[in-house]
Amino acid sequence: QVSHYATCACLSDKRQFPTFFRTIPSDHHQAAALARMVKHFGWTWIGAVRSDTDYGNYGMASFLKAAQEEGICVEYSESYYRTDPRSKVERVANVIRRSTARVIVAFINASEMRVLLEVLKMQLPPPLQWIGSETWITHPDFRKYNMCAGAIGFGIPRSVIPGLREFLLDLSPEQALKSPLLTEFWESSFSCSLKGSSDGARECDGSEDIRALQNPYTDTSQLRITNMVYKATYAIAHAIHGVICNDTQCDKSAKFTPWQILDQLKKVNFTTKKDYQVSFDSNGDPVAVYELINWQVTKDGSVDFVTVGRYDSSKPRGQEISMSRAIIWLGGQTEVPRSVCSESCPPGTRKAVQKGKPVCCYDCIPCAEGEISNKTDSLNCIHCPPEFWPNVQRDICFPKPVEYLSWDDTLSIILTAFSLTGAFIAVCVAAVFYKHRISPIVRANNSELSFLLLFSLALCFLCSLTFIGRPSEWSCMLRHTAFGITFVLCISCVLGKTIVVLMAFRATLPGSNVMKWFGPPQQRLSVLAFTLIQVLICIIWLTILPPFPFKNLKYYKESIILECELGSAIGFWAVLGYIGFLALLCFILAFLARKLPDNFNEAKFITFSMLIFCAVWVTFIPAYVSSPGKFTVAVEIFAILASSFGLFICIFAPKCFIIMFRPEQNTKKHLMGKVPSKSP
């Protein structure tokens, strides 16, 4: 059997129907074509109605499966039969009216479709974009339903069969009398009787011109199913030809069995005069080819079936649908109507399915901090790489800004100004001391240590500059070692001066020769020894695990802190601990010597300077640990400058004051406290 009209996908089962062939595509192909068309126009939220028949049920089942694979959601799927109670059809109509889907797929027979449209016509639903199956999308009786204007669907390709129109128009009254069907057609078309007037109709007199008729009989421009009959007939003819003919001749009297015809049908492959390919696959189905039909309203208000595209299942996936002209949608629009449960989620958000609803119904959730989505309708957000951070829209990852205490930073400029000022003042004081180097107040307590202390203080001020700028491998090693060594040199000088004060007063005791053991050479040697210990600590630190530039990604999420990692924390705290040990030792000795009799007891000022020094660095530790990013470096610089200024002011400010403003007190007698006091 070669069918021209049976489309049920069930007939492709060769176990049940081994001898079945057809020239009309299976509903399985039509369902896939409808699903891909819906996907092609971007509709993800649709309604569906079907005939409660094998045609509707099998066809809709195939469509729903294909739609699911295409990511299309179906809001409802209703079925009914034309003989069902009107209440059931009304219920289906109400579902359509209340639906939020603006596109409805009707896999339905023409008779059921007519029933539904009559019910919907009583109370029109919101404008709907109808998608029709081949049974009704080209049915001429539906032209009167303007509510379906703009409908699209797949129809069987129409074709002009060569010679058919001429054959039909060659009908004469004598030929019509030979067939009851043709007799009825002739009499109804010309309102006359071929057999004599028996019911009051006039008798046909031979003047009737069939070529003047304008009816479906003479219109051969819309031959769709007829073309399937034409191809089926030719398929059987080719199969018979294959049985009775060989390469040279045909034996028209040869007898053949149905199984021979069946075998030849499987091999049939020919092209009609209108270039239509006819062949069957292993299931007995042809290649699925459909015309995309669009219901367009003409100028006179009638509906015309316009072919606007084509579907060919033999084309590569995604290229099956080709458009030949513009579609006029519902309401005469030229833009594709939208039918979605939820609008597309823009980049920067992700889809979150609404509970209890299909996957097409979702909320757009902004990406979490540190995440982006760079395409529409992302299911998930992706994390930016560690050194990147999202923009405000969270659709692009930008490199994080790198923060460090740069030279053009306002804070850096202020700290640099203080650093250079401190170094300049130290140089100026050294110049003043050099000019008055023979004065008692300069020579007192070893002037060499004073100059060395001023030099080390200038270095302390300047070493703070190594903490400013982009950290590099060399700058990280330099800043900590320079700081540690210059401060130990500074504290060593102060410690030497403190010991000198103690020894000087010890030497005034009868029989004491202690200064012989702590003269200038020993003082210089002690400063060198204390400093070399710190140098040794720094060398060990730099050898084992030196400081290095490090990108801190943890403190700030949206920026990178470029800082100097300590390398060995033990090395760093050993450097600080050694400075602290010397400062504490100096403070204790100066505290013990603070009440020794002298008009200018330097131990008092050293005590104050060490008190300030220790207070600054004890405060520095928690501030250093808790300060964020570049402010950690700023705190360290502040501690260096504050402690340097504290030492400088407490030790050298009183001497400079006497030199500059109290020169009468710059005598040995006054310093030794031998000047007689004035009587009141």
Side-chain angles (χ1 to χ4, degrees):
Q1 179 182 358
V2 181
S3 175
H4 67 279
Y5 198 68
T7 60
C8 181
C10 59
L11 296 172
S12 296
D13 186 355
K14 283 302 169 190
R15 290 175 299 178
Q16 296 187 53
F17 309 100
T19 62
F20 182 81
F21 296 84
R22 52 184 157 195
T23 54
I24 190 169
S26 164
D27 286 337
H28 173 76
H29 292 293
Q30 183 177 194
L34 289 171
R36 286 172 193 169
M37 179 178 66
V38 171
K39 181 70 174 180
H40 177 81
F41 292 115
W43 299 316
T44 58
W45 187 238
I46 64 171
V49 292
R50 66 186 187 275
S51 300
D52 193 7
T53 61
D54 284 349
Y55 171 77
N57 292 329
Y58 279 108
M60 185 56 72
S62 296
F63 171 77
L64 294 178
K65 182 179 178 182
Q68 186 178 18
E69 293 173 356
E70 297 288 351
I72 300 164
C73 295
V74 180
E75 183 181 8
Y76 60 87
S77 179
E78 298 291 334
S79 67
Y80 66 95
Y81 191 60
R82 61 179 176 270
T83 59
D84 284 340
R86 186 178 178 86
S87 58
K88 184 174 182 180
V89 183
E90 283 282 2
R91 185 187 64 79
V92 174
N94 287 331
V95 169
I96 294 172
R97 293 185 183 107
R98 293 193 298 267
S99 168
T100 58
R102 298 273 66 86
V103 173
I104 178 170
V105 176
F107 214 107
I108 196 167
N109 283 317
S111 54
E112 277 84 36
M113 187 65 182
R114 186 179 294 105
V115 172
L116 178 62
L117 292 179
E118 287 295 332
V119 173
L120 286 173
K121 190 170 66 172
M122 304 301 293
Q123 183 182 343
L124 291 176
L128 294 173
Q129 179 61 52
W130 289 88
I131 309 295
S133 61
E134 43 82 24
T135 55
W136 68 270
I137 197 66
T138 57
H139 201 294
D141 290 350
F142 290 96
R143 296 177 188 266
K144 62 182 179 180
Y145 296 106
N146 285 335
M147 74 172 80
C148 296
I152 59 174
F154 290 117
I156 302 302
R158 62 181 177 176
S159 175
V160 175
I161 300 175
L164 179 60
R165 177 175 173 80
E166 291 72 19
F167 174 79
L168 295 175
L169 296 180
D170 196 31
L171 182 65
S172 64
E174 293 76 15
Q175 293 171 321
L177 278 171
K178 296 177 182 179
S179 168
L181 180 63
L182 291 177
T183 300
E184 182 180 355
F185 160 71
W186 191 279
E187 292 179 344
S188 63
S189 298
F190 296 108
S191 302
C192 66
S193 173
L194 286 172
K195 301 176 182 179
S197 181
S198 58
D199 55 355
R202 69 177 180 85
E203 185 176 354
C204 298
D205 56 8
S207 63
E208 297 82 18
D209 185 6
I210 195 170
R211 295 178 180 275
L213 289 178
Q214 294 293 329
N215 61 17
Y217 179 82
T218 58
D219 182 10
T220 59
S221 64
Q222 294 288 337
L223 299 180
R224 300 179 187 274
I225 299 301
T226 308
N227 189 37
M228 297 297 104
V229 176
Y230 173 74
K231 292 201 291 185
T233 304
Y234 266 80
I236 295 175
H238 275 265
I240 295 173
H241 180 83
V243 172
I244 66 174
C245 297
N246 54 31
D247 294 337
T248 58
Q249 62 182 0
C250 296
D251 184 4
K252 297 182 180 180
S253 62
K255 295 184 179 180
F256 48 84
T257 64
W259 299 110
Q260 290 177 293
I261 301 299
L262 174 64
D263 185 60
Q264 286 297 323
L265 278 172
K266 294 177 181 178
K267 302 175 184 178
V268 161
N269 190 345
F270 65 93
T271 303
T272 67
K273 292 181 180 180
K274 288 297 182 179
D275 294 329
Y276 282 101
Q277 189 75 18
V278 179
S279 62
F280 303 104
D281 62 16
S282 59
N283 295 322
D285 294 329
V287 173
V289 177
Y290 295 100
E291 287 182 347
L292 181 56
I293 307 300
N294 180 212
W295 288 19
Q296 297 185 4
V297 179
T298 61
K299 293 181 179 180
D300 60 2
S302 62
V303 174
D304 191 16
F305 301 152
V306 180
T307 300
V308 294
R310 184 181 177 86
Y311 177 89
D312 189 343
S313 64
S314 64
K315 295 295 179 71
R317 184 172 179 82
Q319 301 177 23
E320 301 95 338
I321 298 177
S322 59
M323 304 302 297
S324 58
R325 59 187 298 177
I327 297 176
I328 305 299
W329 302 98
L330 60 95
Q333 301 176 14
T334 55
E335 292 185 2
V336 180
R338 291 184 57 79
S339 183
V340 294
C341 182
S342 301
E343 292 295 332
S344 294
C345 289
T349 62
R350 63 175 178 86
K351 295 199 295 187
V353 177
Q354 296 174 0
K355 188 176 181 180
K357 292 188 177 181
V359 293
C360 298
C361 300
Y362 47 81
D363 295 317
C364 296
I365 307 298
C367 288
E369 196 174 58
E371 296 181 344
I372 66 158
S373 64
N374 54 9
K375 58 183 181 180
T376 303
D377 288 335
S378 294
L379 295 176
N380 296 296
C381 297
I382 56 176
H383 283 279
C384 287
E387 296 187 11
F388 289 77
W389 193 252
N391 58 353
V392 176
Q393 294 77 21
R394 297 186 181 178
D395 56 359
I396 300 175
C397 288
F398 282 111
K400 292 180 180 179
V402 178
E403 288 189 7
Y404 57 89
L405 197 61
S406 60
W407 288 102
D408 55 356
D409 195 293
T410 304
L411 186 59
S412 298
I413 295 172
I414 294 172
L415 293 173
T416 300
F418 275 102
S419 175
L420 294 176
T421 301
F424 177 74
I425 294 174
V427 171
C428 291
V429 171
V432 171
F433 269 45
Y434 183 79
K435 182 179 179 181
H436 300 86
R437 61 187 178 280
I438 60 174
S439 64
I441 200 166
V442 175
R443 296 182 61 190
N445 202 354
N446 194 337
S447 61
E448 285 186 13
L449 287 182
S450 295
F451 282 110
L452 187 58
L453 178 57
L454 283 169
F455 172 71
S456 62
L457 280 172
L459 291 180
C460 287
F461 284 120
L462 294 176
C463 83
S464 64
L465 298 178
T466 63
F467 288 81
I468 302 174
R470 188 182 184 91
S472 64
E473 187 175 346
W474 285 103
S475 69
C476 287
M477 291 191 289
L478 177 64
R479 64 173 58 173
H480 289 102
T481 52
F483 153 70
I485 292 171
T486 54
F487 258 78
V488 164
L489 178 62
C490 180
I491 300 299
S492 298
C493 293
V494 176
L495 181 60
K497 294 173 77 66
T498 306
I499 295 174
V500 167
V501 172
L502 280 172
M503 296 303 175
F505 283 96
R506 179 75 66 176
T508 59
L509 297 177
S512 176
N513 60 350
V514 69
M515 286 303 295
K516 179 178 68 174
W517 301 103
F518 202 72
Q522 288 81 8
Q523 294 170 22
R524 290 192 290 271
L525 186 62
S526 67
V527 171
L528 179 62
F530 285 134
T531 305
L532 285 177
I533 292 173
Q534 183 72 308
V535 171
L536 181 62
I537 293 173
C538 290
I539 290 174
I540 294 172
W541 180 17
L542 296 180
T543 303
I544 297 174
L545 195 60
F548 57 90
F550 172 71
K551 292 180 178 180
N552 190 337
L553 305 174
K554 295 181 179 179
Y555 202 92
Y556 290 123
K557 296 177 181 177
E558 65 278 3
S559 62
I560 298 173
I561 305 299
L562 186 60
E563 58 188 14
C564 285
E565 182 68 18
L566 297 177
S568 172
I570 296 175
F572 175 73
W573 291 111
V575 169
L576 281 187
Y578 183 63
I579 295 173
F581 166 74
L582 293 181
L584 184 62
L585 180 62
C586 186
F587 172 74
I588 293 172
L589 294 178
F591 184 78
L592 294 175
R594 75 191 188 283
K595 292 186 178 180
L596 294 176
D598 195 347
N599 277 351
F600 192 83
N601 184 357
E602 199 170 18
K604 296 177 183 179
F605 302 111
I606 293 174
T607 302
F608 281 118
S609 67
M610 288 298 102
L611 192 63
I612 293 171
F613 184 89
C614 292
V616 167
W617 285 101
V618 167
T619 308
F620 158 78
I621 293 173
Y624 178 83
V625 172
S626 61
S627 297
K630 62 183 181 181
F631 297 105
T632 303
V633 179
V635 166
E636 198 165 356
I637 296 174
F638 176 79
I640 292 171
L641 295 178
S643 55
S644 299
F645 274 113
L647 285 171
F648 182 83
I649 292 172
C650 289
I651 294 175
F652 291 101
K655 291 183 179 182
C656 289
F657 181 77
I658 290 174
I659 291 172
M660 302 299 294
F661 302 106
R662 295 287 190 271
E664 68 276 6
Q665 296 181 8
N666 191 4
T667 63
K668 187 173 181 181
K669 289 184 178 181
H670 186 273
L671 294 177
M672 298 299 293
K674 295 179 179 180
V675 178
S677 60
K678 296 179 180 180
S679 58

